[in-house]
Amino acid sequence: MPTFDVVSSVDTQELRNAVDQTNRELSTRYDFRGTGAHAELGDDTVTVEADSAGRVEAANDVLASKLVRRGIDLRSLDAGEPQTIGGGRIRVVWTVAQGIDRDAARDLVKIVKDLGLKVQAQVQGDQLRVTGKKRDDLQSVIAELKALDFRLPLQFENFRD
């Protein structure tokens, strides 16, 4: 029986490359000299830090442009509120969303069922598995989900006949 998986993930190597490029640009740009602006990659976070709110905002823009250039969808990252830390420095923590949460998975299952095709969708951990008897039905589900402007970036993996 043909199946495929719907996932939402971020390529960690591309994320690391984008953070490294951001740090390289922040260290060489004239308007960031002496501000101590930098970005750090954590487990599921990216932290941007500088000495003023305007510099943090500009560093966030640099990071966002590097992420887009590296092919990372900005919907998979959520920028938090700027926080004042010691020494008059400002920090913004971006959280990286890996996987599809329960609410989003439930919404996707409802969307797939509303298509009226003979396919079944079930939640498996942080991904969604869609099965059906016909390959064409699965391909039309993929086409519909790609056309949908969902709140998470979706990737389609493990298409099997």
Side-chain angles (χ1 to χ4, degrees):
M1 189 174 262
T3 65
F4 71 90
D5 296 331
V6 180
V7 297
S8 178
S9 63
V10 174
D11 186 3
T12 54
Q13 183 61 45
E14 290 296 330
L15 183 63
R16 182 177 297 115
N17 290 340
V19 170
D20 289 343
Q21 285 180 344
T22 301
N23 281 328
R24 213 171 300 128
E25 183 168 335
L26 292 178
S27 67
T28 58
R29 272 183 44 178
Y30 180 75
D31 55 340
F32 285 106
R33 293 260 162 108
T35 62
H38 68 280
E40 271 183 38
L41 180 64
D43 290 336
D44 287 334
T45 61
V46 177
T47 305
V48 178
E49 193 174 308
D51 64 352
S52 68
R55 294 286 176 232
V56 165
E57 198 168 312
N60 282 339
D61 291 341
V62 170
L63 177 63
S65 70
K66 299 301 179 188
L67 290 169
V68 169
R69 258 189 221 157
R70 302 297 292 179
I72 298 174
D73 196 335
L74 292 180
R75 291 179 294 179
S76 60
L77 284 100
D78 181 34
E81 293 296 318
Q83 304 167 348
T84 303
I85 56 176
R89 297 185 60 78
I90 308 291
R91 173 187 296 162
V92 173
V93 178
W94 296 58
T95 55
V96 180
Q98 295 278 22
I100 301 173
D101 62 344
R102 290 277 180 208
D103 295 334
R106 227 176 293 129
D107 293 343
L108 285 172
V109 168
K110 183 177 181 331
I111 290 168
V112 169
K113 284 184 179 181
D114 289 344
L115 292 176
L117 300 171
K118 292 189 177 184
V119 295
Q120 295 177 353
Q122 59 188 24
V123 179
Q124 292 184 337
D126 60 351
Q127 66 183 11
L128 188 74
R129 173 149 298 164
V130 180
T131 60
K133 290 185 179 179
K134 294 183 182 177
R135 179 182 192 152
D136 293 340
D137 288 344
L138 294 180
Q139 288 174 340
S140 59
V141 168
I142 290 174
E144 288 293 327
L145 290 178
K146 280 185 180 179
L148 180 70
D149 186 26
F150 199 65
R151 63 181 174 261
L152 293 172
L154 301 175
Q155 292 93 29
F156 307 98
E157 298 177 346
N158 290 336
F159 193 95
R160 302 193 180 201
D161 263 335

